[in-house]
Amino acid sequence: MTTPNPNLDSIRAVQWQGDHLRLLDQRLLPAEERWIECRDAQQVTQAIRDLAVRGAPAIGIAAAWGVAMAAQQKVDLDPVLSTLRAARPTAVNLMWALDRMKKRIASGADAPGLVREAQAIQDEDLAANRRMGELGASLIAAHSGVLTHCNTGSLATAGYGTALGVIRAGVAGGRIDQVYAGETRPWQQGARLTMWELVRDGIPAKLIADSAASHLMKSGAVQWVIVGADRIAANGDTANKIGTYQLAIAAKYHGVKFMVVAPSSTVDMATGTGEDIEIELRDATELLSTAGQRTVVDGAQAWNPVFDVTPAELIDAIVTERGVIERPNSIAMQAMFGW
């Protein structure tokens, strides 16, 4: 077992302050490190909707704290649960965390009990990430190069990260020599956030344009593509940040392995296949602008899906804290996650 290197795990973007929630505003990174103080559940909802907090696990954690805060303030919790649930439709962790809080409410938990539950959700996510890092890194040969997409690190989770957790563990264990990060248009989470994390923690990293990924794979510099997930269906189909599907296709063609890393809370056995996953469409203006500055001619239109679905047959391994599923399919998913 590789002991987590604290020097490769220095970021905590979701911080409970006893009576309010402190969030690192991810829209402003890397230019500015500004914290948002959320003092009611509506402000938490808005932060989720506006992508100030993002990443499936972090969204779920923030929502749990929103419920706990509402309970402290003696607010009616049913509307709070409904409003938070509607903030983002694709990431199943949001629904999972709220269902967990709702179950505690139904069992009669008071405000301190809900605070303890939200803290447990956060603590368990960090522990799961460290376990996934160990499991995923064990699949990677020494001195490998890896490519990742979007941001799956400490910013997107309780800490350490999912796909970036595997990368952190792989770097610490001498298995990964070089990391490549795709920029991830239109929000540029790879360029702004993943590179910020990697440089901050001293991990050898290079940014590439999203459109350079196939050329990079052809060069032989990459042995694994390692990504996170926002929802994994019962057959192993995986919804993740837009652009993931085309990476999986390119990886298969070039003989590059493809790994999905996500906690078991991202697995949705009630969703049969990727065809059943709702894909969030966001405002076209996000695609027509960069950092708030319009870059496309007035009158132009755009199509802006935030996620795509990678079929299970393009995935070599799904890594969760429960274990690794190689060549995922319905039978293997049912064996590990069925009930």
Side-chain angles (χ1 to χ4, degrees), residues 15-57:
Q15 299 182 2
W16 177 244
Q17 301 296 298
D19 62 353
H20 69 279
L21 190 62
R22 193 167 181 253
L23 300 172
L24 181 59
D25 190 342
Q26 299 187 36
R27 299 168 297 180
L28 303 178
L29 291 171
E32 182 180 354
E33 295 182 29
R34 181 188 300 174
W35 292 84
I36 299 172
E37 308 288 334
C38 295
R39 298 190 177 276
D40 59 40
Q42 183 56 47
Q43 290 179 338
V44 175
T45 301
Q46 198 63 45
I48 294 171
R49 190 175 291 133
D50 292 346
L51 303 182
V53 58
R54 44 139 303 280

mmCIF file of all heavy atoms in Angstrom, residues 15-57:
data_model
loop_
_atom_site.group_PDB
_atom_site.id
_atom_site.type_symbol
_atom_site.label_atom_id
_atom_site.label_comp_id
_atom_site.label_asym_id
_atom_site.label_seq_id
_atom_site.Cartn_x
_atom_site.Cartn_y
_atom_site.Cartn_z
ATOM 1 N N GLN A 15 -15.458 23.754 2.909
ATOM 2 C CA GLN A 15 -15.097 23.837 4.325
ATOM 3 C C GLN A 15 -16.296 24.273 5.166
ATOM 4 O O GLN A 15 -16.821 25.378 4.985
ATOM 5 C CB GLN A 15 -13.939 24.826 4.515
ATOM 6 C CG GLN A 15 -12.672 24.434 3.781
ATOM 7 C CD GLN A 15 -11.526 25.401 4.018
ATOM 8 O OE1 GLN A 15 -11.652 26.366 4.774
ATOM 9 N NE2 GLN A 15 -10.389 25.157 3.365
ATOM 10 N N TRP A 16 -16.706 23.404 6.092
ATOM 11 C CA TRP A 16 -17.786 23.726 7.026
ATOM 12 C C TRP A 16 -17.226 24.562 8.175
ATOM 13 O O TRP A 16 -16.203 24.224 8.763
ATOM 14 C CB TRP A 16 -18.417 22.442 7.553
ATOM 15 C CG TRP A 16 -19.489 22.646 8.579
ATOM 16 C CD1 TRP A 16 -19.462 22.239 9.871
ATOM 17 C CD2 TRP A 16 -20.753 23.273 8.379
ATOM 18 N NE1 TRP A 16 -20.628 22.576 10.509
ATOM 19 C CE2 TRP A 16 -21.449 23.221 9.614
ATOM 20 C CE3 TRP A 16 -21.380 23.891 7.289
ATOM 21 C CZ2 TRP A 16 -22.730 23.753 9.781
ATOM 22 C CZ3 TRP A 16 -22.652 24.426 7.458
ATOM 23 C CH2 TRP A 16 -23.311 24.353 8.690
ATOM 24 N N GLN A 17 -17.915 25.652 8.483
ATOM 25 C CA GLN A 17 -17.433 26.603 9.481
ATOM 26 C C GLN A 17 -18.272 26.607 10.765
ATOM 27 O O GLN A 17 -18.182 27.550 11.554
ATOM 28 C CB GLN A 17 -17.428 28.013 8.882
ATOM 29 C CG GLN A 17 -16.547 28.144 7.639
ATOM 30 C CD GLN A 17 -15.080 27.906 7.938
ATOM 31 O OE1 GLN A 17 -14.462 28.642 8.710
ATOM 32 N NE2 GLN A 17 -14.515 26.876 7.323
ATOM 33 N N GLY A 18 -19.060 25.577 10.971
ATOM 34 C CA GLY A 18 -19.851 25.474 12.201
ATOM 35 C C GLY A 18 -21.270 25.957 12.051
ATOM 36 O O GLY A 18 -22.196 25.363 12.609
ATOM 37 N N ASP A 19 -21.480 27.045 11.288
ATOM 38 C CA ASP A 19 -22.831 27.533 11.031
ATOM 39 C C ASP A 19 -23.013 28.032 9.598
ATOM 40 O O ASP A 19 -24.078 28.507 9.224
ATOM 41 C CB ASP A 19 -23.196 28.650 12.008
ATOM 42 C CG ASP A 19 -22.293 29.867 11.870
ATOM 43 O OD1 ASP A 19 -21.304 29.812 11.115
ATOM 44 O OD2 ASP A 19 -22.585 30.886 12.536
ATOM 45 N N HIS A 20 -21.962 27.929 8.790
ATOM 46 C CA HIS A 20 -22.067 28.284 7.376
ATOM 47 C C HIS A 20 -21.015 27.524 6.587
ATOM 48 O O HIS A 20 -20.125 26.885 7.173
ATOM 49 C CB HIS A 20 -21.945 29.801 7.164
ATOM 50 C CG HIS A 20 -20.571 30.342 7.436
ATOM 51 N ND1 HIS A 20 -20.109 30.627 8.714
ATOM 52 C CD2 HIS A 20 -19.544 30.652 6.594
ATOM 53 C CE1 HIS A 20 -18.870 31.099 8.635
ATOM 54 N NE2 HIS A 20 -18.504 31.124 7.363
ATOM 55 N N LEU A 21 -21.132 27.589 5.264
ATOM 56 C CA LEU A 21 -20.258 26.822 4.375
ATOM 57 C C LEU A 21 -19.344 27.762 3.610
ATOM 58 O O LEU A 21 -19.786 28.772 3.061
ATOM 59 C CB LEU A 21 -21.095 26.000 3.395
ATOM 60 C CG LEU A 21 -20.364 24.967 2.542
ATOM 61 C CD1 LEU A 21 -19.712 23.904 3.417
ATOM 62 C CD2 LEU A 21 -21.329 24.318 1.543
ATOM 63 N N ARG A 22 -18.068 27.412 3.564
ATOM 64 C CA ARG A 22 -17.059 28.203 2.862
ATOM 65 C C ARG A 22 -16.612 27.422 1.631
ATOM 66 O O ARG A 22 -16.168 26.280 1.733
ATOM 67 C CB ARG A 22 -15.890 28.456 3.811
ATOM 68 C CG ARG A 22 -14.891 29.496 3.372
ATOM 69 C CD ARG A 22 -13.981 29.862 4.540
ATOM 70 N NE ARG A 22 -13.023 30.883 4.158
ATOM 71 C CZ ARG A 22 -11.720 30.659 3.966
ATOM 72 N NH1 ARG A 22 -11.238 29.442 4.127
ATOM 73 N NH2 ARG A 22 -10.916 31.637 3.620
ATOM 74 N N LEU A 23 -16.743 28.043 0.454
ATOM 75 C CA LEU A 23 -16.432 27.378 -0.805
ATOM 76 C C LEU A 23 -15.387 28.180 -1.565
ATOM 77 O O LEU A 23 -15.506 29.400 -1.704
ATOM 78 C CB LEU A 23 -17.693 27.258 -1.677
ATOM 79 C CG LEU A 23 -18.869 26.470 -1.107
ATOM 80 C CD1 LEU A 23 -20.076 26.619 -2.015
ATOM 81 C CD2 LEU A 23 -18.503 25.002 -0.939
ATOM 82 N N LEU A 24 -14.381 27.500 -2.077
ATOM 83 C CA LEU A 24 -13.415 28.136 -2.960
ATOM 84 C C LEU A 24 -14.080 28.331 -4.320
ATOM 85 O O LEU A 24 -14.519 27.366 -4.941
ATOM 86 C CB LEU A 24 -12.169 27.262 -3.085
ATOM 87 C CG LEU A 24 -11.030 27.793 -3.956
ATOM 88 C CD1 LEU A 24 -10.532 29.138 -3.453
ATOM 89 C CD2 LEU A 24 -9.878 26.793 -3.989
ATOM 90 N N ASP A 25 -14.182 29.578 -4.766
ATOM 91 C CA ASP A 25 -14.897 29.900 -6.009
ATOM 92 C C ASP A 25 -14.068 29.436 -7.205
ATOM 93 O O ASP A 25 -13.080 30.067 -7.576
ATOM 94 C CB ASP A 25 -15.162 31.405 -6.086
ATOM 95 C CG ASP A 25 -16.109 31.767 -7.223
ATOM 96 O OD1 ASP A 25 -16.281 30.934 -8.144
ATOM 97 O OD2 ASP A 25 -16.678 32.873 -7.202
ATOM 98 N N GLN A 26 -14.496 28.335 -7.816
ATOM 99 C CA GLN A 26 -13.706 27.729 -8.883
ATOM 100 C C GLN A 26 -13.830 28.462 -10.211
ATOM 101 O O GLN A 26 -13.073 28.194 -11.141
ATOM 102 C CB GLN A 26 -14.090 26.257 -9.019
ATOM 103 C CG GLN A 26 -13.801 25.484 -7.739
ATOM 104 C CD GLN A 26 -14.012 24.002 -7.885
ATOM 105 O OE1 GLN A 26 -13.745 23.413 -8.922
ATOM 106 N NE2 GLN A 26 -14.496 23.362 -6.816
ATOM 107 N N ARG A 27 -14.769 29.406 -10.304
ATOM 108 C CA ARG A 27 -14.897 30.186 -11.533
ATOM 109 C C ARG A 27 -13.736 31.150 -11.709
ATOM 110 O O ARG A 27 -13.454 31.573 -12.836
ATOM 111 C CB ARG A 27 -16.210 30.979 -11.514
ATOM 112 C CG ARG A 27 -17.458 30.116 -11.444
ATOM 113 C CD ARG A 27 -18.677 30.937 -11.127
ATOM 114 N NE ARG A 27 -18.576 31.577 -9.809
ATOM 115 C CZ ARG A 27 -19.513 32.348 -9.277
ATOM 116 N NH1 ARG A 27 -20.633 32.569 -9.950
ATOM 117 N NH2 ARG A 27 -19.348 32.887 -8.086
ATOM 118 N N LEU A 28 -13.072 31.507 -10.617
ATOM 119 C CA LEU A 28 -12.050 32.548 -10.674
ATOM 120 C C LEU A 28 -10.635 32.008 -10.758
ATOM 121 O O LEU A 28 -9.696 32.767 -11.012
ATOM 122 C CB LEU A 28 -12.178 33.455 -9.441
ATOM 123 C CG LEU A 28 -13.540 34.113 -9.235
ATOM 124 C CD1 LEU A 28 -13.539 34.941 -7.969
ATOM 125 C CD2 LEU A 28 -13.932 34.951 -10.436
ATOM 126 N N LEU A 29 -10.461 30.715 -10.497
ATOM 127 C CA LEU A 29 -9.124 30.123 -10.548
ATOM 128 C C LEU A 29 -8.636 30.050 -11.992
ATOM 129 O O LEU A 29 -9.426 29.887 -12.910
ATOM 130 C CB LEU A 29 -9.152 28.719 -9.942
ATOM 131 C CG LEU A 29 -9.384 28.639 -8.439
ATOM 132 C CD1 LEU A 29 -9.611 27.188 -8.017
ATOM 133 C CD2 LEU A 29 -8.219 29.229 -7.668
ATOM 134 N N PRO A 30 -7.335 30.150 -12.208
ATOM 135 C CA PRO A 30 -6.245 30.304 -11.236
ATOM 136 C C PRO A 30 -5.897 31.751 -10.910
ATOM 137 O O PRO A 30 -4.993 31.991 -10.112
ATOM 138 C CB PRO A 30 -5.084 29.633 -11.962
ATOM 139 C CG PRO A 30 -5.326 29.997 -13.396
ATOM 140 C CD PRO A 30 -6.819 29.961 -13.576
ATOM 141 N N ALA A 31 -6.601 32.697 -11.537
ATOM 142 C CA ALA A 31 -6.210 34.101 -11.383
ATOM 143 C C ALA A 31 -6.414 34.601 -9.967
ATOM 144 O O ALA A 31 -5.643 35.421 -9.462
ATOM 145 C CB ALA A 31 -6.993 34.974 -12.359
ATOM 146 N N GLU A 32 -7.463 34.102 -9.315
ATOM 147 C CA GLU A 32 -7.806 34.627 -7.992
ATOM 148 C C GLU A 32 -8.334 33.500 -7.119
ATOM 149 O O GLU A 32 -9.160 32.696 -7.568
ATOM 150 C CB GLU A 32 -8.865 35.727 -8.135
ATOM 151 C CG GLU A 32 -9.272 36.370 -6.836
ATOM 152 C CD GLU A 32 -10.328 37.455 -7.016
ATOM 153 O OE1 GLU A 32 -10.653 37.779 -8.178
ATOM 154 O OE2 GLU A 32 -10.833 37.947 -5.989
ATOM 155 N N GLU A 33 -7.860 33.433 -5.873
ATOM 156 C CA GLU A 33 -8.369 32.475 -4.893
ATOM 157 C C GLU A 33 -9.311 33.214 -3.952
ATOM 158 O O GLU A 33 -8.897 33.808 -2.970
ATOM 159 C CB GLU A 33 -7.211 31.826 -4.128
ATOM 160 C CG GLU A 33 -6.312 30.978 -5.018
ATOM 161 C CD GLU A 33 -5.188 30.303 -4.260
ATOM 162 O OE1 GLU A 33 -5.367 30.020 -3.051
ATOM 163 O OE2 GLU A 33 -4.115 30.070 -4.863
ATOM 164 N N ARG A 34 -10.594 33.167 -4.305
ATOM 165 C CA ARG A 34 -11.609 33.871 -3.523
ATOM 166 C C ARG A 34 -12.579 32.857 -2.933
ATOM 167 O O ARG A 34 -13.002 31.913 -3.607
ATOM 168 C CB ARG A 34 -12.377 34.867 -4.392
ATOM 169 C CG ARG A 34 -13.449 35.650 -3.615
ATOM 170 C CD ARG A 34 -14.318 36.478 -4.526
ATOM 171 N NE ARG A 34 -13.565 37.465 -5.285
ATOM 172 C CZ ARG A 34 -14.112 38.222 -6.237
ATOM 173 N NH1 ARG A 34 -15.384 38.059 -6.568
ATOM 174 N NH2 ARG A 34 -13.368 39.113 -6.866
ATOM 175 N N TRP A 35 -12.931 33.065 -1.678
ATOM 176 C CA TRP A 35 -13.845 32.160 -0.984
ATOM 177 C C TRP A 35 -15.237 32.769 -0.917
ATOM 178 O O TRP A 35 -15.388 33.973 -0.715
ATOM 179 C CB TRP A 35 -13.329 31.853 0.422
ATOM 180 C CG TRP A 35 -12.071 31.034 0.404
ATOM 181 C CD1 TRP A 35 -10.792 31.489 0.255
ATOM 182 C CD2 TRP A 35 -11.980 29.614 0.511
ATOM 183 N NE1 TRP A 35 -9.898 30.456 0.257
ATOM 184 C CE2 TRP A 35 -10.598 29.278 0.418
ATOM 185 C CE3 TRP A 35 -12.901 28.593 0.673
ATOM 186 C CZ2 TRP A 35 -10.143 27.970 0.484
ATOM 187 C CZ3 TRP A 35 -12.440 27.285 0.744
ATOM 188 C CH2 TRP A 35 -11.089 26.976 0.653
ATOM 189 N N ILE A 36 -16.249 31.923 -1.088
ATOM 190 C CA ILE A 36 -17.651 32.320 -0.972
ATOM 191 C C ILE A 36 -18.164 31.832 0.374
ATOM 192 O O ILE A 36 -17.962 30.676 0.744
ATOM 193 C CB ILE A 36 -18.494 31.698 -2.094
ATOM 194 C CG1 ILE A 36 -18.007 32.176 -3.462
ATOM 195 C CG2 ILE A 36 -19.967 32.014 -1.906
ATOM 196 C CD1 ILE A 36 -18.674 31.440 -4.610
ATOM 197 N N GLU A 37 -18.826 32.713 1.099
ATOM 198 C CA GLU A 37 -19.444 32.329 2.370
ATOM 199 C C GLU A 37 -20.937 32.094 2.125
ATOM 200 O O GLU A 37 -21.688 33.036 1.869
ATOM 201 C CB GLU A 37 -19.255 33.440 3.414
ATOM 202 C CG GLU A 37 -17.815 33.913 3.582
ATOM 203 C CD GLU A 37 -16.925 32.910 4.286
ATOM 204 O OE1 GLU A 37 -17.456 32.099 5.062
ATOM 205 O OE2 GLU A 37 -15.698 32.946 4.051
ATOM 206 N N CYS A 38 -21.367 30.845 2.158
ATOM 207 C CA CYS A 38 -22.778 30.491 1.973
ATOM 208 C C CYS A 38 -23.439 30.398 3.345
ATOM 209 O O CYS A 38 -23.056 29.550 4.155
ATOM 210 C CB CYS A 38 -22.916 29.172 1.234
ATOM 211 S SG CYS A 38 -22.293 29.192 -0.457
ATOM 212 N N ARG A 39 -24.412 31.250 3.564
ATOM 213 C CA ARG A 39 -25.041 31.316 4.883
ATOM 214 C C ARG A 39 -26.468 30.798 4.905
ATOM 215 O O ARG A 39 -27.135 30.856 5.941
ATOM 216 C CB ARG A 39 -24.968 32.753 5.429
ATOM 217 C CG ARG A 39 -23.516 33.205 5.603
ATOM 218 C CD ARG A 39 -23.355 34.507 6.345
ATOM 219 N NE ARG A 39 -21.935 34.811 6.526
ATOM 220 C CZ ARG A 39 -21.171 34.345 7.505
ATOM 221 N NH1 ARG A 39 -21.712 33.557 8.417
ATOM 222 N NH2 ARG A 39 -19.898 34.677 7.593
ATOM 223 N N ASP A 40 -26.948 30.290 3.797
ATOM 224 C CA ASP A 40 -28.225 29.577 3.779
ATOM 225 C C ASP A 40 -28.224 28.605 2.603
ATOM 226 O O ASP A 40 -27.345 28.644 1.735
ATOM 227 C CB ASP A 40 -29.432 30.529 3.722
ATOM 228 C CG ASP A 40 -29.424 31.439 2.504
ATOM 229 O OD1 ASP A 40 -29.065 30.971 1.402
ATOM 230 O OD2 ASP A 40 -29.768 32.621 2.648
ATOM 231 N N ALA A 41 -29.220 27.735 2.579
ATOM 232 C CA ALA A 41 -29.250 26.683 1.565
ATOM 233 C C ALA A 41 -29.439 27.252 0.165
ATOM 234 O O ALA A 41 -28.943 26.674 -0.812
ATOM 235 C CB ALA A 41 -30.363 25.687 1.890
ATOM 236 N N GLN A 42 -30.134 28.380 0.042
ATOM 237 C CA GLN A 42 -30.325 28.981 -1.264
ATOM 238 C C GLN A 42 -28.990 29.425 -1.861
ATOM 239 O O GLN A 42 -28.750 29.279 -3.062
ATOM 240 C CB GLN A 42 -31.281 30.174 -1.173
ATOM 241 C CG GLN A 42 -31.597 30.820 -2.522
ATOM 242 C CD GLN A 42 -32.154 29.829 -3.532
ATOM 243 O OE1 GLN A 42 -33.052 29.046 -3.218
ATOM 244 N NE2 GLN A 42 -31.617 29.841 -4.749
ATOM 245 N N GLN A 43 -28.113 29.951 -1.021
ATOM 246 C CA GLN A 43 -26.793 30.354 -1.511
ATOM 247 C C GLN A 43 -25.970 29.141 -1.924
ATOM 248 O O GLN A 43 -25.192 29.223 -2.891
ATOM 249 C CB GLN A 43 -26.065 31.173 -0.444
ATOM 250 C CG GLN A 43 -26.683 32.550 -0.217
ATOM 251 C CD GLN A 43 -25.969 33.342 0.869
ATOM 252 O OE1 GLN A 43 -25.285 32.771 1.727
ATOM 253 N NE2 GLN A 43 -26.147 34.655 0.850
ATOM 254 N N VAL A 44 -26.133 28.024 -1.228
ATOM 255 C CA VAL A 44 -25.459 26.786 -1.635
ATOM 256 C C VAL A 44 -25.995 26.329 -2.989
ATOM 257 O O VAL A 44 -25.226 25.971 -3.892
ATOM 258 C CB VAL A 44 -25.641 25.677 -0.583
ATOM 259 C CG1 VAL A 44 -25.034 24.365 -1.071
ATOM 260 C CG2 VAL A 44 -25.012 26.089 0.745
ATOM 261 N N THR A 45 -27.316 26.360 -3.153
ATOM 262 C CA THR A 45 -27.931 25.985 -4.425
ATOM 263 C C THR A 45 -27.390 26.831 -5.559
ATOM 264 O O THR A 45 -27.051 26.326 -6.632
ATOM 265 C CB THR A 45 -29.459 26.133 -4.349
ATOM 266 O OG1 THR A 45 -29.969 25.298 -3.310
ATOM 267 C CG2 THR A 45 -30.114 25.746 -5.663
ATOM 268 N N GLN A 46 -27.313 28.131 -5.326
ATOM 269 C CA GLN A 46 -26.828 29.041 -6.363
ATOM 270 C C GLN A 46 -25.365 28.754 -6.706
ATOM 271 O O GLN A 46 -24.969 28.799 -7.873
ATOM 272 C CB GLN A 46 -26.982 30.494 -5.919
ATOM 273 C CG GLN A 46 -26.919 31.504 -7.054
ATOM 274 C CD GLN A 46 -28.055 31.314 -8.054
ATOM 275 O OE1 GLN A 46 -29.206 31.128 -7.681
ATOM 276 N NE2 GLN A 46 -27.721 31.327 -9.341
ATOM 277 N N ALA A 47 -24.562 28.461 -5.690
ATOM 278 C CA ALA A 47 -23.148 28.145 -5.924
ATOM 279 C C ALA A 47 -23.000 26.880 -6.773
ATOM 280 O O ALA A 47 -22.118 26.798 -7.633
ATOM 281 C CB ALA A 47 -22.420 27.977 -4.599
ATOM 282 N N ILE A 48 -23.875 25.886 -6.547
ATOM 283 C CA ILE A 48 -23.862 24.665 -7.351
ATOM 284 C C ILE A 48 -24.291 24.971 -8.780
ATOM 285 O O ILE A 48 -23.652 24.558 -9.748
ATOM 286 C CB ILE A 48 -24.771 23.588 -6.719
ATOM 287 C CG1 ILE A 48 -24.222 23.122 -5.373
ATOM 288 C CG2 ILE A 48 -24.957 22.405 -7.673
ATOM 289 C CD1 ILE A 48 -25.167 22.235 -4.588
ATOM 290 N N ARG A 49 -25.368 25.721 -8.918
ATOM 291 C CA ARG A 49 -25.906 26.032 -10.246
ATOM 292 C C ARG A 49 -24.919 26.866 -11.073
ATOM 293 O O ARG A 49 -24.788 26.679 -12.282
ATOM 294 C CB ARG A 49 -27.236 26.779 -10.077
ATOM 295 C CG ARG A 49 -28.029 26.964 -11.355
ATOM 296 C CD ARG A 49 -29.373 27.595 -11.068
ATOM 297 N NE ARG A 49 -30.261 26.697 -10.344
ATOM 298 C CZ ARG A 49 -30.970 27.042 -9.266
ATOM 299 N NH1 ARG A 49 -30.881 28.252 -8.770
ATOM 300 N NH2 ARG A 49 -31.754 26.161 -8.695
ATOM 301 N N ASP A 50 -24.225 27.780 -10.410
ATOM 302 C CA ASP A 50 -23.309 28.695 -11.103
ATOM 303 C C ASP A 50 -21.912 28.126 -11.308
ATOM 304 O O ASP A 50 -21.041 28.808 -11.837
ATOM 305 C CB ASP A 50 -23.185 30.010 -10.312
ATOM 306 C CG ASP A 50 -24.479 30.816 -10.318
ATOM 307 O OD1 ASP A 50 -25.362 30.507 -11.135
ATOM 308 O OD2 ASP A 50 -24.585 31.745 -9.501
ATOM 309 N N LEU A 51 -21.674 26.888 -10.864
ATOM 310 C CA LEU A 51 -20.388 26.212 -10.992
ATOM 311 C C LEU A 51 -19.293 26.833 -10.128
ATOM 312 O O LEU A 51 -18.107 26.617 -10.375
ATOM 313 C CB LEU A 51 -19.919 26.163 -12.453
ATOM 314 C CG LEU A 51 -20.862 25.498 -13.458
ATOM 315 C CD1 LEU A 51 -20.239 25.475 -14.843
ATOM 316 C CD2 LEU A 51 -21.213 24.088 -13.025
ATOM 317 N N ALA A 52 -19.697 27.572 -9.101
ATOM 318 C CA ALA A 52 -18.699 28.022 -8.128
ATOM 319 C C ALA A 52 -18.136 26.818 -7.389
ATOM 320 O O ALA A 52 -16.947 26.773 -7.051
ATOM 321 C CB ALA A 52 -19.320 29.013 -7.142
ATOM 322 N N VAL A 53 -18.985 25.850 -7.111
ATOM 323 C CA VAL A 53 -18.552 24.538 -6.633
ATOM 324 C C VAL A 53 -18.966 23.537 -7.698
ATOM 325 O O VAL A 53 -20.075 23.609 -8.234
ATOM 326 C CB VAL A 53 -19.166 24.179 -5.259
ATOM 327 C CG1 VAL A 53 -20.676 24.186 -5.291
ATOM 328 C CG2 VAL A 53 -18.663 22.824 -4.778
ATOM 329 N N ARG A 54 -18.051 22.625 -8.083
ATOM 330 C CA ARG A 54 -18.341 21.685 -9.161
ATOM 331 C C ARG A 54 -17.545 20.412 -8.923
ATOM 332 O O ARG A 54 -16.687 20.364 -8.059
ATOM 333 C CB ARG A 54 -18.016 22.299 -10.529
ATOM 334 C CG ARG A 54 -16.700 23.040 -10.565
ATOM 335 C CD ARG A 54 -15.912 22.807 -11.801
ATOM 336 N NE ARG A 54 -15.617 21.403 -12.062
ATOM 337 C CZ ARG A 54 -14.634 20.723 -11.456
ATOM 338 N NH1 ARG A 54 -13.880 21.277 -10.520
ATOM 339 N NH2 ARG A 54 -14.414 19.455 -11.770
ATOM 340 N N GLY A 55 -17.870 19.399 -9.716
ATOM 341 C CA GLY A 55 -17.351 18.065 -9.475
ATOM 342 C C GLY A 55 -18.410 17.285 -8.715
ATOM 343 O O GLY A 55 -18.907 17.747 -7.685
ATOM 344 N N ALA A 56 -18.771 16.112 -9.238
ATOM 345 C CA ALA A 56 -19.914 15.384 -8.679
ATOM 346 C C ALA A 56 -19.825 15.155 -7.168
ATOM 347 O O ALA A 56 -20.777 15.453 -6.436
ATOM 348 C CB ALA A 56 -20.094 14.065 -9.427
ATOM 349 N N PRO A 57 -18.703 14.653 -6.623
ATOM 350 C CA PRO A 57 -18.658 14.456 -5.169
ATOM 351 C C PRO A 57 -18.772 15.763 -4.384
ATOM 352 O O PRO A 57 -19.483 15.825 -3.373
ATOM 353 C CB PRO A 57 -17.297 13.789 -4.949
ATOM 354 C CG PRO A 57 -16.988 13.129 -6.254
ATOM 355 C CD PRO A 57 -17.515 14.075 -7.291
#
